Amino acid sequence: MSTSLIYFFGALGGLLFGYDTGVISGAILFIQKQLHLGSWEQGWVVSAVLIGAILGSATIGPASDKFGRRKLLMLSSIIFVIGAIGSGLAHNFELLVISRIVLGIAVGGASALIPTYLSELAPAEKRGGIGTMFQLMIMSGILLAYISNYVLSDFDLGWRFMLGLAAVPAAIMFFGGIALPESPRYLVRQGDDQEALAVLNQLQSNDQQAQAELDDIKLQASMKSAGFKELFGVMSRPVLIMAMGLAIFQQVMVLIQCCTMHQLFSPMLVLVSAPR
């Protein structure tokens, strides 16, 4: 398999991430009518993915360290398929919420596993660009979700297809995962240096770069992690502050946008609702 296909199939989980989180925005309009859901139940249907995502993101790290990135990537694709089909076939509120939680486990797992997997496969000089593929896939998935919402909005059972269509890219990711290589860093931690070198030879432009990358991975693997002490240490502090600052800045911008939209549209709403 070419390196481009390796990165594509590795990042395909981002497409599912974006699709499954975005598609509910249109589907819920039809779900609440056909399943007769109140506002409380609609909230559960929408947020069930986030509940599952907490579980998935919390467990995928230790599991991938034990069983390998590639196996967990394929397992996530299977969970995606089960959650998508279950959501599309759900005939009541309870089954829909359960299916969405299952789907969220795959979403959370993909959000934590795929960036790690891609960064461990990519050469150092391409790591930044390859890492952004996951974000590009998320945005593409959201776009596809909105397109499917529009195309299927005229069908009585269109919301079932909106939710169930996520099984298609999930199945593609599973079969693509069969040919994906294992992470060289995982292989080194398992003591399989020869297999790690074979994977690096497939990804690097020449054997010398592959050997140099292997030596660097072995050096990093021999270093003991300091856990939370390292996270809040002097070396990591600038990155931690930047990450927290970006998150705060994002929420502030959303708040400003909401206030601006309210100021723009409030006079219009008053005019429309005024008695004539």
Side-chain angles (χ1 to χ4, degrees), residues 7 10 24 28 51 59 61 107 110-111 203 209 224 241 258:
Y7 298 138
I24 196 63
I28 192 63
I51 297 173
T59 57
V107 168
S111 67
L203 300 172
Q209 286 185 346
K224 294 184 178 180
I241 294 174
C258 291

Side-chain angles (χ1 to χ4, degrees), residues 89-275:
L89 298 178
H91 62 274
N92 58 39
F93 163 73
E94 290 79 11
L95 184 58
L96 181 58
V97 169
I98 292 173
S99 298
R100 295 276 295 168
I101 290 176
V102 171
L103 197 60
I105 293 174
V107 168
S111 67
L113 176 63
I114 292 177
T116 301
Y117 179 68
L118 290 176
S119 65
E120 291 179 348
L121 287 181
E125 66 274 10
K126 298 180 180 179
R127 196 160 292 152
I130 298 299
T132 58
M133 283 184 63
F134 182 66
Q135 302 299 325
L136 177 62
M137 283 291 193
I138 293 176
M139 296 300 104
S140 301
I142 293 174
L143 176 61
L144 287 176
Y146 292 158
I147 292 174
S148 70
N149 286 345
Y150 175 76
V151 172
L152 298 171
S153 60
D154 293 332
F155 295 89
D156 291 338
L157 297 178
W159 67 269
R160 296 189 181 276
F161 291 98
M162 294 176 192
L163 300 180
L165 278 175
V168 176
I172 294 174
M173 186 173 75
F174 174 81
F175 289 109
I178 296 175
L180 287 178
E182 183 53 86
S183 163
R185 282 168 173 74
Y186 170 77
L187 292 171
V188 168
R189 289 193 180 113
Q190 298 300 309
D192 196 348
D193 294 356
Q194 292 301 317
E195 182 64 25
L197 183 59
V199 173
L200 290 171
N201 283 326
Q202 183 181 0
L203 300 172
Q204 301 284 354
S205 57
N206 58 65
D207 295 345
Q208 291 182 345
Q209 286 185 346
Q211 184 61 53
E213 182 73 14
L214 178 63
D215 294 338
D216 184 56
I217 292 172
K218 291 170 67 175
L219 177 62
Q220 293 178 12
S222 64
M223 299 172 61
K224 294 184 178 180
S225 175
F228 281 104
K229 182 179 180 181
E230 184 179 8
L231 176 63
F232 295 102
V234 177
M235 294 294 292
S236 302
R237 193 172 299 159
V239 178
L240 181 63
I241 294 174
M242 181 178 66
M244 294 175 64
L246 285 173
I248 295 171
F249 179 74
Q250 181 184 30
Q251 298 305 315
V252 170
M253 292 304 298
V254 171
L255 180 61
I256 293 174
Q257 289 176 352
C258 291
C259 294
T260 304
M261 295 296 289
H262 178 73
Q263 291 175 355
L264 286 174
F265 288 101
S266 290
M268 297 175 61
L269 294 174
V270 172
L271 290 175
V272 171
S273 60

